[in-house]
Amino acid sequence: MTFANYKVQHGGCWTKLRRQVYAILAPELHIQMYCTFYTSDRDYKAGPFTSPRTWITLEKEIIWDFPSYFLEWNHPDVPKPLKYLESGHGLWGDFGSAPAQLMLDYLSTPVNQLLARVFYLDYWGLIHILRAGDRRIGQRRLRAFAEQLSPTEPAMKVIRRRFSRRNEVRIHV
């Protein structure tokens, strides 16, 4: 079940936040972002819990899935693996979910600081994906950024797709 009026820090909803992020992404990439909540009424220590799930697709392929890609039993080698769905990773009080807060921080960063700023709360590579798809970042700066990334990072899929799309446009023009 998707909650369209899920509140994030700026007082808006997930749909508004997603629209703001889509405005800075290169449209030819066909990046889509989704958010849904799973709730359980089972009695686990403190009672029921709600766990948000946020995922990003690149031309219908899921390239980033929070929290499932980052749970300790799935991928213990991520910088900060999550131990439990119930551990509170998803909600930061009045600030919304961790991915939503990171997106807000990214959107509020001046363009000239996007590649230099360190987002300390991004343990899972979301900001790299936003940087890779951000149409405000030029090809030269994007190539320099790509040299810092591991070839297996999801952001590299976005960068490779972005450069391949750019070359296709040049050929067809």
Side-chain angles (χ1 to χ4, degrees):
M1 175 184 291
T2 302
F3 292 14
N5 43 347
Y6 166 62
K7 299 293 181 189
V8 291
Q9 182 183 10
H10 67 292
C13 62
W14 169 254
T15 304
K16 264 189 205 176
L17 175 60
R18 186 171 65 170
R19 195 174 307 132
Q20 290 172 356
V21 173
Y22 285 167
I24 64 163
L25 295 177
E28 67 273 6
L29 293 175
H30 304 291
I31 292 176
Q32 296 289 311
M33 298 183 310
Y34 303 92
C35 182
T36 192
F37 280 78
Y38 300 103
T39 58
S40 171
D41 57 356
R42 74 168 200 238
D43 189 11
Y44 181 77
K45 293 183 183 177
F49 74 93
T50 300
S51 180
R53 176 185 176 217
T54 305
W55 68 101
I56 298 174
T57 63
L58 177 65
E59 295 186 3
K60 299 184 182 181
E61 174 194 355
I62 296 175
I63 60 168
W64 190 85
D65 193 350
F66 183 87
S68 68
Y69 280 8
F70 309 105
L71 293 168
E72 189 173 53
W73 60 84
N74 287 340
H75 298 282
D77 57 337
V78 296
K80 188 173 181 178
L82 303 166
K83 293 187 180 208
Y84 312 103
L85 286 176
E86 299 91 341
S87 65
H89 71 274
L91 300 177
W92 289 350
D94 296 334
F95 299 113
S97 71
Q101 184 60 49
L102 286 167
M103 288 178 204
L104 285 170
D105 290 347
Y106 185 83
L107 291 169
S108 66
T109 302
V111 176
N112 62 346
Q113 296 175 13
L114 287 174
L115 293 176
R117 180 175 173 193
V118 177
F119 293 83
Y120 291 103
L121 298 176
D122 183 22
Y123 306 107
W124 309 288
L126 173 61
I127 297 298
H128 290 329
I129 293 171
L130 295 177
R131 287 173 175 153
D134 194 331
R135 61 189 171 91
R136 302 171 298 172
I137 297 175
Q139 188 172 1
R140 182 180 51 81
R141 291 176 61 207
L142 193 59
R143 285 189 192 279
F145 170 66
E147 291 176 8
Q148 303 169 15
L149 300 176
S150 162
T152 59
E153 261 191 73
M156 285 303 294
K157 287 184 179 184
V158 177
I159 290 172
R160 283 191 289 271
R161 188 74 45 95
R162 190 166 167 188
F163 287 141
S164 71
R165 293 285 181 200
R166 209 171 262 168
N167 291 336
E168 287 174 15
V169 170
R170 286 185 188 148
I171 290 169
H172 294 294
V173 173

